[in-house]
């Protein structure tokens, strides 16, 4: 069964179950050009409509792990579960004065998001785009947010520069930076296995993980005011920056001095094997020049 036929079957079932809703199907463009298929439940008098994504369920159905009836039951349960949280979105006042303290920024790939960026205001940075979000809820389990699009920017009557200035202050407060040696992190993961811990410390000597306290969109921390500059001063050299994902960067002293092809190959291999496509940030490294106090794209 194709994803289109699968979606139509679920749509028909949901319309029978939820006669008080206008149930439609949709395709949503997410980060890095990922398209997700979903079922939207529109309710009269409610401005925010839950969207239940079904791609993971299609994968299970296609493998024979679940029946179509089980899929429909799961979609129904997900919709019911979404109602309590949707109250937070429904009650969200999107006037600028009410969102000002919750506007943050996020670093994404420009090349992989050109289509999405047609509808979203952004600041260019190297081969990245800095986009803005409004935080609805955040805790250790994750963050819920809405993207600032061109319509919202127009409604607020501010420029993208003004919005970025607001986000700069908020992002460091809401998502405080976290810079830690990779060896220390590996020690926490590996626990009491002494041999593995010592080997991890040796292999990751002077390699730092740059993220934030929540580990959410932590790659953005590299553009926090003075953070990378101070790390370069502490290490006394230029820095090599490896984009691990949208959630973190790996930073170390630049010992390559002009030869970055191998590093780029390594990043691409890691992206292919270990990073979800939606969370890939880039396929090559970057340099922070200590003397020029400037980021450079290489590889």
């Amino acid at each position: 069964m194709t994803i289109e036929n699968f979606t139509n079957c679920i749509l028909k079932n949901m319309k029978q179950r939820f006669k008080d809703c206008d149930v439609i199907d949709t395709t949503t463009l997410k980060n890095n050009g990922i398209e997700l298929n979903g079922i939207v439940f529109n309710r009269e008098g409610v401005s925010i409509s839950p969207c239940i994504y079904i791609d993971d369920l299609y994968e299970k159905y296609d493998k024979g792990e679940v029946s179509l009836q089980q899929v429909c039951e799961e979609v129904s349960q997900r919709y019911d579960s979404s109602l309590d949280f949707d109250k937070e979105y429904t009650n969200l006042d999107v006037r600028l004065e009410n969102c000002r303290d919750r506007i943050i920024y996020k670093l994404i790939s420009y090349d992989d998001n050109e289509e999405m960026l047609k509808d979203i205001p952004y600041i260019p940075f190297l081969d990245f785009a800095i986009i803005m979000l409004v935080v609805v809820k955040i805790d250790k389990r994750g963050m819920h947010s809405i993207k600032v699009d061109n319509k919202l920017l127009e409604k607020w009557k501010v420029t993208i520069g003004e919005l970025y200035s607001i986000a700069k202050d908020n992002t460091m407060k809401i998502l405080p930076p976290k810079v830690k040696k990779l060896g220390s992190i590996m020690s926490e993961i590996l626990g009491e296995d002494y041999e593995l811990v010592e080997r991890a410390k040796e292999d990751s000597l002077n390699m730092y993980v740059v993220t934030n306290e929540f580990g959410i969109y932590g790659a953005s921390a590299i553009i926090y005011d003075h953070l990378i500059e101070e790390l370069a001063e502490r290490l006394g050299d230029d820095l090599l920056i490896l984009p691990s994902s949208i959630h973190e960067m790996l930073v170390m002293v630049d010992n390559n001095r002009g030869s970055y092809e191998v590093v780029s190959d390594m990043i691409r291999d890691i992206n292919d094997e270990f990073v979800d496509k939606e969370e890939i940030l880039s396929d090559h490294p970057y340099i922070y020049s200590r003397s020029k106090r400037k980021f450079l794209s290489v590889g």
Side-chain angles (χ1 to χ4, degrees):
M1 182 184 293
T2 65
I3 183 65
E4 291 81 9
N5 290 336
F6 178 79
T7 302
N8 287 333
C9 288
I10 297 174
L11 188 62
K12 182 178 179 180
N13 187 283
M14 292 303 110
K15 285 183 176 181
Q16 293 173 347
R17 290 178 186 236
F18 300 98
K19 299 185 185 301
D20 60 331
C21 294
D22 177 21
V23 186
I24 62 173
D25 62 313
T26 187
T27 301
T28 303
L29 186 62
K30 306 292 275 188
N31 194 45
N32 291 342
I34 303 297
E35 290 188 342
L36 295 182
N37 298 279
I39 304 295
V40 179
F41 297 80
N42 296 305
R43 292 164 291 173
E44 187 176 354
V46 179
S47 58
I48 303 296
S49 301
C51 179
I52 309 302
Y53 294 112
I54 59 174
D55 297 85
D56 61 321
L57 297 174
Y58 176 68
E59 185 176 343
K60 290 181 179 180
Y61 175 79
D62 194 47
K63 292 178 179 177
E65 296 176 1
V66 293
S67 67
L68 194 57
Q69 182 61 34
Q70 289 173 314
V71 167
C72 292
E73 290 296 335
E74 176 63 22
V75 172
S76 178
Q77 290 176 18
R78 290 183 184 183
Y79 169 67
D80 289 338
S81 298
S82 74
L83 294 179
D84 287 337
F85 182 75
D86 280 343
K87 292 177 182 177
E88 298 186 43
Y89 281 94
T90 302
N91 296 327
L92 180 65
D93 188 336
V94 294
R95 289 178 297 175
L96 180 59
E97 57 267 31
N98 291 301
C99 293
R100 181 180 293 271
D101 294 338
R102 292 184 285 174
I103 298 170
I104 65 170
Y105 60 64
K106 170 187 174 183
L107 210 58
I108 64 173
S109 165
Y110 174 84
D111 291 339
D112 292 334
N113 291 286
E114 284 191 76
E115 189 65 29
M116 184 176 71
L117 290 170
K118 292 177 181 178
D119 301 316
I120 295 176
Y122 65 93
I123 299 285
F125 172 67
L126 300 174
D127 51 359
F128 301 123
I130 305 170
I131 66 171
M132 313 301 156
L133 309 173
V134 178
V135 177
V136 178
K137 181 179 180 181
I138 184 169
D139 55 33
K140 291 298 182 181
R141 293 174 296 178
M143 179 169 72
H144 296 277
S145 61
I146 58 173
K147 291 188 188 77
V148 176
D149 59 16
N150 292 331
K151 291 181 180 178
L152 194 53
L153 187 70
E154 184 179 350
K155 180 178 180 178
W156 286 345
K157 300 186 186 308
V158 295
T159 66
I160 181 60
E162 292 168 334
L163 194 63
Y164 179 59
S165 296
I166 295 170
K168 279 183 68 175
D169 293 334
N170 291 337
T171 307
M172 290 188 67
K173 294 175 184 176
I174 296 173
L175 302 172
K178 181 179 180 181
V179 180
K180 200 167 185 178
K181 275 194 173 184
L182 180 58
S184 298
I185 295 175
M186 293 302 296
S187 297
E188 294 172 1
I189 295 172
L190 297 172
E192 298 180 358
D193 194 322
Y194 178 80
E195 184 177 342
L196 287 176
V197 168
E198 292 304 308
R199 190 184 309 161
K201 286 182 177 179
E202 183 178 343
D203 290 344
S204 59
L205 188 64
N206 285 333
M207 185 181 291
Y208 292 81
V209 177
V210 176
T211 182
N212 58 51
E213 292 293 339
F214 290 91
I216 302 169
Y217 307 147
S220 306
I222 66 160
I223 56 174
Y224 285 6
D225 285 345
H226 310 301
L227 187 147
I228 290 297
E229 178 186 344
E230 291 175 0
L231 185 56
E233 289 301 318
R234 189 196 319 170
L235 298 179
D237 210 333
D238 293 349
L239 301 178
L240 178 64
I241 302 170
L242 310 182
S244 177
S245 74
I246 58 174
H247 301 301
E248 64 184 22
M249 294 279 201
L250 296 179
V251 180
M252 68 197 79
V253 168
D254 178 25
N255 293 318
N256 289 270
R257 304 304 183 192
S259 177
Y260 301 101
E261 187 175 343
V262 173
V263 179
S264 295
D265 288 342
M266 179 190 71
I267 293 172
R268 283 190 287 269
D269 288 343
I270 292 173
N271 284 345
D272 290 342
E273 292 292 329
F274 302 109
V275 184
D276 289 342
K277 188 176 179 182
E278 193 177 343
E279 297 187 347
I280 292 174
L281 184 58
S282 177
D283 62 0
H284 61 86
Y286 302 83
I287 297 297
Y288 178 79
S289 171
R290 181 188 175 211
S291 60
K292 297 178 182 178
R293 296 186 177 183
K294 184 179 180 180
F295 288 94
L296 304 169
S297 178
V298 296

